[in-house]
Amino acid sequence: MSSLFERQDSLNSPIETFIFDTEKRDFPVKQHWHYFAEFIYILKGRAEVTCDGRAYTVSEGELIIFYPSSVHSIFSADGSPVLFAGIKFDSAKFQNISSYVPSVTAILRYARTKDMQIHFNAEQAETLHSREIFSDCIRETEQCLYGRDIMLRSQIYRLILGIVRQWISLGLDINSCPMSSTEIYGIENIAEYIDRRLEENIRVADIAEKCHMSYSGFTAKFREQYGMNCKEYIERMRIFKAEEYLLFTDHSLMYISQQTGFSDCSHFIRCFKKHIGLTPKQFRLSKKHSC
């Protein structure tokens, strides 16, 4: 299965949207898998889709979803061109949105164990507002509008919750779904654990233990998934968090270094300059002057 692995850039692009025209791109989409969840909406034609050994014929106006780590492929069902829209996203970046709704990772993992429906016919897809949601997501990505990330997430949440309601109508007991993936971590969602603890002194060995993996096995898998080692990922995520503090607050560098998990202010300044090319103070001043 590892030879079929397709790495996604979870750090820089946790959400991807696209239009796939089989007349303009390499096709068919051969068997592969990735840690992202993926939703496909057929705009034109008929596709023969396989997912984890099962075959589906997905026609215009229909929707199919692929769980994280599922092996899938897409072919033309009749040799004619196919046009489809896609949304890929790292479910670990979608945490609980309320006190009673499970995290997206927990929902998808639970639904998969219950063998829930992944192919939705045209009528069901219309009920889910699939065409509208995919169109809005594509537009947000192409036009790079203000608040794009928030809008993309809101549309994906909208689609997922619509799907969950369909599943509930088919008998899914959502009350039995874990509220989050706490204590059920793997490479595909360990970023959720890391992101919540950036201000703590987290160690790679402890993270590997959370995944029930050896240190060496974890580090190899982590690099395969994220394109860097775990220590570097933690540092870069701390820098991203520090950038938000510098841009949107007037907190001191000492306070920011504490809130982002750096050992002290000097360590924060050195790491920030290494990644950004400016000291935190220079970065804050340059952004204020550019506004």
Side-chain angles (χ1 to χ4, degrees):
M1 183 169 163
S2 60
S3 63
L4 305 177
F5 176 66
E6 177 184 282
R7 193 177 75 82
Q8 306 298 142
D9 189 355
S10 180
L11 181 62
N12 297 303
S13 301
I15 301 173
E16 300 177 14
T17 66
F18 59 89
I19 295 289
F20 196 109
D21 186 341
T22 63
E23 293 187 289
K24 298 178 180 179
R25 299 179 62 175
D26 289 340
F27 191 72
V29 179
K30 297 181 180 180
Q31 277 199 336
H32 67 286
W33 69 278
H34 41 69
Y35 290 116
F36 278 28
E38 184 172 9
F39 297 170
I40 296 295
Y41 179 74
I42 305 298
L43 297 167
K44 180 181 178 182
R46 295 171 65 241
E48 189 71 22
V49 176
T50 65
C51 182
D52 290 336
R54 296 183 182 179
Y56 305 84
T57 300
V58 190
S59 301
E60 182 175 332
E62 297 185 350
L63 170 73
I64 189 165
I65 70 173
F66 305 130
Y67 296 119
S69 302
S70 62
V71 178
H72 52 279
S73 64
I74 306 173
F75 291 75
S76 172
D78 53 15
S80 301
V82 183
L83 181 69
F84 59 89
I87 299 173
K88 292 181 182 178
F89 61 93
D90 182 356
S91 63
K93 301 296 185 181
F94 287 71
Q95 299 174 11
N96 299 59
I97 55 177
S98 79
S99 60
Y100 70 91
V101 177
S103 69
V104 171
T105 297
I107 289 173
L108 294 178
R109 178 174 290 177
Y110 179 65
R112 190 176 190 178
T113 64
K114 299 302 180 181
D115 196 24
M116 297 309 297
Q117 169 189 9
I118 65 169
H119 176 205
F120 300 86
N121 63 33
E123 181 180 354
Q124 293 169 325
E126 184 177 357
T127 300
L128 294 169
H129 305 284
S130 299
R131 181 178 289 272
E132 175 190 341
I133 290 172
F134 276 81
S135 177
D136 286 349
C137 287
I138 296 294
R139 184 175 64 253
E140 288 289 338
T141 300
E142 291 178 343
Q143 297 182 10
C144 199
L145 300 171
Y146 173 77
R148 176 185 64 178
D149 181 67
I150 296 173
M151 290 297 291
L152 286 172
R153 289 173 186 274
S154 67
Q155 294 286 20
I156 293 171
Y157 275 124
R158 180 186 177 194
L159 183 56
I160 290 171
L161 290 175
I163 290 170
V164 171
R165 289 174 179 177
Q166 293 253 20
W167 284 337
I168 291 172
S169 72
L170 295 172
L172 181 70
D173 180 11
I174 196 65
N175 293 321
S176 296
C177 178
M179 286 304 299
S180 72
S181 52
T182 304
E183 305 304 327
I184 318 174
Y185 290 104
I187 287 293
E188 75 279 5
N189 69 318
I190 193 59
E192 181 180 339
Y193 175 84
I194 295 172
D195 293 351
R196 289 178 175 177
R197 293 164 175 81
L198 289 174
E199 74 281 3
E200 301 175 13
N201 182 28
I202 48 178
R203 302 185 312 130
V204 177
D206 295 334
I207 299 170
E209 186 177 345
K210 278 288 178 185
C211 291
H212 305 286
M213 299 175 68
S214 68
Y215 182 90
S216 59
F218 170 78
T219 54
K221 282 290 185 182
F222 192 95
R223 179 176 288 279
E224 180 184 65
Q225 161 68 349
Y226 294 99
M228 64 188 72
N229 64 47
C230 187
K231 185 177 180 180
E232 183 182 359
Y233 176 90
I234 294 169
E235 186 172 283
R236 290 183 63 176
M237 291 304 299
R238 284 173 170 161
I239 294 296
F240 288 162
K241 187 175 180 180
E243 283 184 288
E244 293 182 348
Y245 274 111
L246 292 167
L247 287 172
F248 304 118
T249 77
D250 292 322
H251 290 310
S252 69
L253 298 189
M254 177 65 72
Y255 176 88
I256 295 173
S257 68
Q258 293 171 347
Q259 294 301 306
T260 50
F262 288 97
S263 57
D264 53 47
C265 194
S266 297
H267 181 216
F268 166 49
I269 293 171
R270 288 197 307 273
C271 290
F272 194 92
K273 187 172 183 179
K274 180 182 73 174
H275 286 280
I276 307 300
L278 299 170
T279 66
K281 184 177 181 180
Q282 290 170 336
F283 175 83
R284 175 177 268 171
L285 289 173
S286 69
K287 294 302 178 182
K288 286 185 177 180
H289 291 159
S290 65
C291 293

